[in-house]
Amino acid sequence: MRKTRRGDRGVPGPASPWDEIAPGLWMGGHYWTDLAGELRPVVVADEFDLVISLFTRTGHGPGPRAEHIVGEIPDAELTADQLHTVQRLARVAGLALDSGLTTLVRCHSGYNRSGLVVAQCLVDRGLTPDEAVARVRRGRSPWALHNEAFTSYLTAGLDVAALLVGLDP
């Protein structure tokens, strides 16, 4: 398995396995921290119609009735192709919502990668980048989208960000 997660950055783990950010649109991770401070695995069964995973771990689901789309990206600066993957997954999430499907977007802890896709989905649905980031943080955790590169991508627009990162030698 490729390493797609940056090391511990001193942020607390999420206090829940997943949280609803907008009606039908959920954000979560593969791990959460219980009240005693213990790291707990999150195993998705069939709670959602669609699960979009930006990080995968064997044994964490989803169950057989959920559609599962995997688009692993790192929790680090992204390439133009990876930004296009984020755009595609955000569109898939939006189409699922339009069809009345419950959708979970998840990564390791449910902060950055899933936050980027969920925020872009919200931008695609009419929110400004600042409104989308605020909604994600309010719904999931103040630590969500603490990766400054990701919030910069949203502010610039993913199309522009992909063009800019594509210029790097």
Side-chain angles (χ1 to χ4, degrees):
M1 177 192 314
R2 292 178 313 198
K3 182 175 178 160
T4 60
R5 182 174 190 270
R6 297 188 316 193
D8 183 294
R9 294 168 303 266
V11 299
S16 60
W18 50 67
D19 296 285
E20 192 171 29
I21 307 303
L25 180 61
W26 297 73
M27 183 174 145
H30 283 68
Y31 297 94
W32 71 288
T33 305
D34 67 17
L35 292 175
E38 297 293 321
L39 194 64
R40 301 285 182 200
V42 175
V43 178
V44 177
D46 293 313
E47 297 90 344
F48 302 95
D49 299 309
L50 170 64
V51 177
I52 297 172
S53 296
L54 305 158
F55 168 88
T56 57
R57 176 75 34 103
T58 302
H60 287 249
R65 289 185 291 166
E67 181 180 355
H68 190 207
I69 298 173
V70 176
E72 289 196 22
I73 61 171
D75 186 2
E77 291 184 7
L78 301 178
T79 66
D81 284 343
Q82 291 164 337
L83 287 165
H84 292 305
T85 295
V86 170
Q87 288 178 302
R88 179 179 59 81
L89 295 173
R91 282 193 298 271
V92 167
L95 291 170
L97 293 175
D98 290 343
S99 297
L101 302 177
T102 56
T103 302
L104 171 66
V105 181
R106 67 181 182 166
C107 56
H108 185 274
S109 295
Y111 281 163
N112 287 316
R113 290 171 278 190
S114 58
L116 180 59
V117 171
V118 167
Q120 183 58 48
C121 180
L122 296 172
V123 167
D124 290 346
R125 298 174 87 73
L127 270 61
T128 67
D130 287 342
E131 291 168 337
V133 169
R135 170 98 47 104
V136 163
R137 288 179 176 157
R138 189 172 53 252
R140 179 68 174 153
S141 166
W143 290 102
L145 283 170
H146 64 270
N147 181 327
E148 292 179 13
F150 287 10
T151 56
S152 294
Y153 298 147
L154 290 164
T155 301
L158 295 189
D159 284 332
V160 171
L163 289 171
L164 292 174
V165 301
L167 295 175
D168 287 341

